[in-house]
Amino acid sequence: VLQVRERLLILPIIGILDAARARQLTEQLLKAIRAHRAKVVVIDITGVPDVDEGVANSLVQTVDASKLMGASVIITGLSSEIAETLVTIGVDLSKMDTLGDLQEGIEEAERLLGYPGVGIDDVRR
Amino acid sequence: MSGVDPPEQAPLRVSILAQGAYLIASIHTALDDEHFERFQHDLIDQIGQHRSSGVIIDVAALDVLDSFGSRTLRNIAEMARLRGAVTTIVGIQPDVAFAMVELGLDTGSVHTALDLEEGLDYLAETLKAVGTSRSRVPR
C-alpha cells in the first residue's frame, strides 16, 4: 500500500491472488486507510493474470469495507480476460468503480479529492 | 448520567451531545439489544428537542457490530431522515469493517466516514447543498 498524495492510497496487486492473500491485503488496506486517513484508494490489478469467483468476491468485500471506513475505492487495470471472466461467472460488480488504467484512476482520484485537474489537453502543447 | 438511576434505567452507555445544529452520539462500550433500542429512542427523541439537522453516530469504541446493531443504526438513520436530519456513522474500526463485510452486513444507504472530523465535514457539505438549492455542491 503506497501513499501518493495526501489522503490518496494506491494498492498495486501483482501476481496471483488467492483467498488468503486477498484477505491479508484487505486487512492491510483497512489499517492503512486508518493510519493515513485516506479518502480515496486506487487498487490496480494490471499485474493480476486471472481471477476466480472467490477472489472477485473478496475484492467486492474490500470495496465495501473501505466504504464503511469512509474511503472510496477505484479499481483499475482490469484486463480484457478478467473483464470477460467476471461477466461470465456473473459476479455483481455494479457497486464498483472501475477505470481502464492506473493513470485514469489517479486522475479520477485527484478529481474526487479536489486537486486541479490536469487533462491530456494540457500536456499536448 | 447521574449515579442514582433507577434499576431499569441502567447507567448510560451512550452520550448524546447537542453541538450547534448537530447531535453527536458516541457509543462508549458494547451495547446489547436492549441498550440499542433505548439509544435509538433517546436519539430520535433528542432530534426533535434540539431541532437538529445532522446526526453523527461515533462507533469508534466498538470492537464488534452485529446484525442487530447495524440494523438498528440503519433504522436510526431512516428515522432521523423522517424527522429531517442527515445521519452519518463515523469511526468504524478496520477489524469491525472487515468482520461486517464477511458477515454480509452493511449500513445500507447510510453514509459512513473515517472519524468525527470527516463526519462533520460531510454534514456541513450535505446540509449546505440541501440548504441553498437542490443542486449538489461540486466536489
Side-chain angles (χ1 to χ4, degrees):
Chain A
V1 183
L2 311 166
Q3 182 172 28
V4 281
R5 296 269 194 284
E6 196 162 327
R7 323 209 59 188
L8 166 58
L9 295 177
I10 292 191
L11 176 65
I13 304 179
I14 295 163
I16 294 172
L17 266 179
D18 55 25
R21 201 164 162 230
R23 190 195 167 93
Q24 188 198 351
L25 270 171
T26 307
E27 277 173 11
Q28 274 183 18
L29 177 64
L30 294 179
K31 290 203 177 99
I33 289 176
R34 165 116 268 171
H36 297 287
R37 307 190 71 235
K39 228 176 158 127
V40 182
V41 180
V42 180
I43 301 181
D44 182 61
I45 57 169
T46 311
V48 178
D50 199 8
V51 293
D52 60 16
E53 194 172 353
V55 171
N57 282 327
S58 56
L59 271 179
V60 175
Q61 286 189 347
T62 310
V63 173
D64 286 345
S66 308
K67 212 171 280 168
L68 285 173
M69 294 191 58
S72 19
V73 178
I74 301 168
I75 306 228
T76 64
L78 271 96
S79 65
S80 49
E81 289 88 1
I82 291 183
E84 264 178 57
T85 319
L86 289 179
V87 175
T88 313
I89 59 181
V91 182
D92 180 17
L93 297 171
S94 51
K95 285 184 291 183
M96 315 245 283
D97 277 339
T98 55
L99 285 170
D101 57 24
L102 185 57
Q103 182 186 348
E104 284 176 55
I106 294 177
E107 280 168 9
E108 170 71 8
E110 288 181 337
R111 204 182 56 72
L112 286 175
L113 289 166
Y115 285 102
V118 181
I120 290 174
D121 296 337
D122 304 325
V123 182
R124 289 196 198 123
R125 298 270 155 96
Chain B
M1 291 275 182
S2 68
V4 283
D5 289 324
E8 70 275 13
Q9 294 276 301
L12 213 56
R13 297 183 183 204
V14 183
S15 52
I16 304 176
L17 312 167
Q19 155 71 47
Y22 305 147
L23 275 187
I24 301 173
S26 32
I27 302 177
H28 301 305
T29 56
L31 301 181
D32 60 24
D33 295 3
E34 204 178 305
H35 284 113
F36 258 120
E37 274 172 9
R38 186 169 151 215
F39 165 50
Q40 171 180 319
H41 185 79
D42 288 353
L43 186 63
I44 301 304
D45 217 33
Q46 296 212 18
I47 291 174
Q49 278 172 30
H50 297 287
R51 309 186 64 236
S52 308
S53 53
V55 176
I56 295 180
I57 303 175
D58 185 357
V59 296
L62 289 188
D63 47 16
V64 67
L65 200 51
D66 62 7
S67 58
F68 185 83
S70 51
R71 186 156 53 89
T72 308
L73 293 181
R74 270 206 306 276
N75 289 348
I76 289 175
E78 178 63 10
M79 292 172 199
R81 190 182 66 77
L82 293 174
R83 305 205 69 187
V86 183
T87 304
T88 177
I89 297 170
V90 305
I92 296 179
Q93 298 291 336
D95 294 343
V96 177
F98 194 55
M100 282 176 73
V101 295
E102 289 223 304
L103 296 170
L105 306 175
D106 62 20
T107 55
S109 57
V110 187
H111 182 267
T112 50
L114 186 70
D115 53 22
L116 191 57
E117 199 182 336
E118 289 293 308
L120 287 167
D121 283 354
Y122 168 76
L123 286 185
E125 202 174 293
T126 312
L127 294 172
K128 190 169 67 181
V130 173
T132 49
S133 73
R134 288 279 155 196
S135 63
R136 284 275 293 151
V137 179
R139 307 238 283 163

